[in-house]
Amino acid sequence: MDKLHDYAIDGVRWAMPTARVGGMDSGGDGGTFMDGFLRHVSSERNYAAGQVGTPTDFLSFHAKGQPRFVDGHVRMGIDVHLRAVNKGFDKSLSVPSLAATPVVIGESDPEGCAACPSLENGYRKGTMYSRYTAYSRYTAASFPRIWAMARRLNVNLEGVLTWAFEFANQPWFAGFRQLASNGIDLRVMNVFRMFAKLGPDQLAATSDAELPLDEIMAHGVRGQADVGTLATRTRDGKIAVLLWHYHDDDLPGPDAAISLKINGIRGKAPTSATLFRIDDANANAYAAWKRMGSPSAPNMTQYEAMGQASVMRPQSLALSAASRGTVAASVTVPRQGVALVVLDAR
């Protein structure tokens, strides 16, 4: 395998000298196979070129969650996913000469089989998938934890990929890992749109109802719900705050009544912000389809109605001045819901 890799990299670099190359994009952390790969590319003879080492612009591995069907409902496995990320990060740091190499999580998803519609994968139809994939993996609740883990370990995390597919000629909302069903966006697509509204500069943000990373890695989110936040500043000076209300068990639960305070406002404090929501009542084509009686062949009117129901629409959120440079707002986020608050803070 090392020989095949060396010749493949040599061929790519011959054709495209500036191409970025790396690997090994293993399933999971790669175990002893990854150990051998790291040893080879860092200190052993290159089969194609003869010198010691193989060009390695990035290291990559896969990390997956493990949903289960428990007592009549779906239970997600965010703890399994995050432990897989942690193991992959440990591997990337295991060879000192490669420790600063950029890391790409080549597949980061709630589970490992995109084409397996089953009871445990029923989360794909609802808001559970919204939370997990984005940003793969997951979205709101998992990605900030992956970033926090990278910072804690001093891993040079460059990117995270989620894998979604197109399944043609399938029943509506059949439960595959995809971004749309028969041309109608699923809620997970809107989570990616929320991420696109975040900025490149992460700001300090805390929530007294956000579960610690180590607790989630050890036990998942099985007791108290995880109500967390991620704040950024956009390139045009706005503040974008992501809020989520997550639980592993896909069961009804009370809403989260969030008292949001944002400080560091520059200039005159704004009196309103833009609010985007993804929950049972917002950006939800699946719920609209169910209200129609779950038609197997929607007519054009029904199709257009589902398309309208899938749209993430901006709402106005009133802000009040809490103190100089600080504004406050009240936001209610339903269980398994996601919200994004964007305000002009220039």
Side-chain angles (χ1 to χ4, degrees), residues 125-127 172-173 187 250 280 284-295 298 302 306 309:
K125 300 177 183 180
T127 52
W172 283 84
F173 305 102
R187 278 175 283 188
D250 191 14
D280 283 342
N284 192 341
Y286 179 61
W289 178 71
K290 290 195 296 183
R291 287 194 298 269
M292 297 170 187
S294 305
Q302 291 171 323
M306 284 190 287

Side-chain angles (χ1 to χ4, degrees), residues 299-319:
N299 59 37
M300 185 54 66
T301 299
Q302 291 171 323
Y303 184 87
E304 290 177 352
M306 284 190 287
Q308 289 296 314
S310 73
V311 176
M312 183 173 63
R313 302 185 185 282
Q315 304 172 24
S316 181
L317 177 67
L319 300 175

Side-chain angles (χ1 to χ4, degrees), residues 12-335:
V12 169
R13 280 290 179 84
W14 176 84
M16 299 178 62
T18 60
R20 297 189 67 210
V21 294
M24 65 176 200
D25 215 35
S26 62
D29 63 27
T32 57
F33 189 49
M34 186 63 149
D35 293 335
F37 172 83
L38 295 173
R39 183 173 58 251
H40 176 73
V41 299
S42 63
S43 60
E44 294 180 350
R45 183 181 65 84
N46 183 295
Y47 286 96
Q51 84 278 2
V52 172
T54 304
T56 305
D57 298 316
F58 62 88
L59 299 173
S60 58
F61 61 90
H62 298 177
K64 305 284 186 175
Q66 191 175 43
R68 289 284 183 263
F69 199 71
V70 179
D71 296 331
H73 70 274
V74 177
R75 172 176 288 171
M76 301 303 295
I78 192 172
D79 54 326
V80 176
H81 191 140
L82 294 178
R83 288 196 298 270
V85 172
N86 192 68
K87 290 179 180 178
F89 284 168
D90 284 344
K91 290 287 186 186
S92 72
L93 298 172
S94 63
V95 177
S97 63
L98 296 173
T101 303
V103 172
V104 175
I105 305 178
E107 292 187 21
S108 186
D109 299 297
E111 34 59 41
C113 183
C116 299
S118 57
L119 290 175
E120 62 266 26
N121 291 336
Y123 73 91
R124 295 169 178 164
K125 300 177 183 180
T127 52
M128 297 292 288
Y129 192 25
S130 305
R131 211 152 348 289
Y132 272 82
T133 299
Y135 175 85
S136 202
R137 192 106 155 125
Y138 284 174
T139 37
S142 63
F143 271 78
R145 275 45 188 262
I146 292 173
W147 294 332
M149 199 185 307
R151 288 194 300 271
R152 183 167 72 179
L153 297 174
N154 198 27
V155 169
N156 183 8
L157 179 61
E158 186 174 52
V160 183
L161 284 74
T162 187
W163 283 71
F165 300 84
E166 176 63 29
F167 296 92
N169 302 317
Q170 296 298 323
W172 283 84
F173 305 102
F176 297 105
R177 196 192 322 136
Q178 53 190 1
L179 301 179
S181 178
N182 290 282
I184 298 296
D185 290 348
L186 300 181
R187 278 175 283 188
V188 63
M189 177 67 86
N190 283 324
V191 174
F192 285 107
R193 292 183 174 118
M194 278 189 175
F195 281 143
K197 295 179 184 297
L198 295 175
D201 300 321
Q202 189 169 343
L203 306 176
T206 60
S207 166
D208 58 9
E210 184 170 323
L211 299 182
L213 171 61
D214 289 334
E215 180 178 337
I216 295 181
M217 287 179 62
H219 308 294
V221 184
R222 308 289 168 79
Q224 174 187 331
D226 179 47
V227 183
T229 184
L230 173 71
T232 66
R233 190 179 297 279
T234 66
R235 287 186 173 87
D236 58 356
K238 296 179 181 179
I239 293 177
V241 182
L242 187 70
L243 306 168
W244 64 86
H245 184 185
Y246 172 74
H247 199 283
D248 276 340
D249 291 304
D250 191 14
L251 293 170
D255 294 348
I258 298 173
S259 296
L260 179 65
K261 288 187 177 181
I262 303 172
N263 56 30
I265 303 298
R266 301 168 180 172
K268 184 179 180 181
T271 59
S272 66
T274 302
L275 174 66
F276 300 91
R277 292 183 176 276
I278 303 172
D279 50 50
D280 283 342
N282 296 277
N284 192 341
Y286 179 61
W289 178 71
K290 290 195 296 183
R291 287 194 298 269
M292 297 170 187
S294 305
S296 59
N299 59 37
M300 185 54 66
T301 299
Q302 291 171 323
Y303 184 87
E304 290 177 352
M306 284 190 287
Q308 289 296 314
S310 73
V311 176
M312 183 173 63
R313 302 185 185 282
Q315 304 172 24
S316 181
L317 177 67
L319 300 175
S320 60
S323 61
R324 183 175 179 83
T326 301
V327 294
S330 296
V331 183
T332 299
V333 181
R335 178 70 64 91

